[in-house]
Structures are given as structure tokens and as C-alpha cells.
Amino acid sequence: SYCYFKIQAYRSAIETGKRCSKFHPTNTDPIVNIGKTFLHIKENDSALYYFEKVYPNRSEDKGLTEVLYKLWNEKGNIERASFYYRRMQIMGMVK
């Protein structure tokens, strides 16, 4: 999927990530990469879906937590944004 992403074949990158996640359901990287691709092409609702899907298995991932905070904040969902902001505080990312 990374190769497709590099040549800007974003839909192929997403489809490849989906296939990879089916073959390796315990590996969270394909799901994160799908979210990153959607984020790159500014399909934030789809990015949110995939990032939320993977978050329970990567709750200590500071970058993922920050992206989820920003996306929910941009959508105006204060409740969800606050959840991730509190997680960022716990992880020492903000005071």
C-alpha cells in the first residue's frame, strides 16, 4: 500500500490496506495506513472511522491520539475531543 501511496494511487493504497488487514487481522499497521491515506486525501470522516477502529489496540500511540483529538476538535465534537485531550495529558503530551 505504501508503494501505491507514493505514486499517488490512493484508492489502490486503501484497497491494498484493506486486503492486508483481512490476511493479518492482529496487525494494526494496515488500518492506520488506511486512515493516514484518507487523511492525506482530506476524507477526514473516513480517516476518523479507521483511526477509531484501531485506537483500542493502539491507545498508547501518541501520534494517533493527537490526530484523533485534532479531527474531533475540527468536527466540533467537544466530548470526543476532550476524551483524547485527557489521554494526551495522561501521556504527558500537554499540561
Side-chain angles (χ1 to χ4, degrees):
S1 71
Y2 178 74
C3 292
Y4 283 124
F5 183 87
K6 289 299 283 180
I7 63 169
Q8 299 178 353
Y10 301 121
R11 295 293 166 198
S12 294
I14 290 165
E15 291 307 314
T16 301
K18 288 178 181 179
R19 283 194 306 277
C20 287
S21 70
K22 286 180 184 175
F23 287 111
H24 303 284
T26 59
N27 185 350
T28 57
D29 290 338
I31 302 297
V32 170
N33 290 336
I34 292 168
K36 286 179 179 180
T37 302
F38 276 122
L39 190 62
H40 183 77
I41 60 175
K42 302 195 184 332
E43 291 187 23
N44 292 354
D45 288 340
S46 294
L48 263 172
Y49 171 80
Y50 284 96
F51 289 148
E52 285 285 0
K53 182 176 180 175
V54 78
Y55 188 78
N57 295 315
R58 290 180 74 144
S59 61
E60 299 303 316
D61 184 327
K62 291 180 178 182
L64 179 60
T65 303
E66 184 175 9
V67 168
L68 283 164
Y69 163 72
K70 288 178 179 178
L71 288 170
W72 284 117
N73 196 44
E74 287 172 8
K75 286 183 72 67
N77 188 323
I78 302 305
E79 183 178 336
R80 291 303 295 160
S82 294
F83 170 80
Y84 290 108
Y85 188 81
R86 285 190 304 276
R87 291 289 303 146
M88 289 168 57
Q89 288 176 315
I90 291 167
M91 289 189 263
M93 297 169 64
V94 292
K95 294 182 180 189

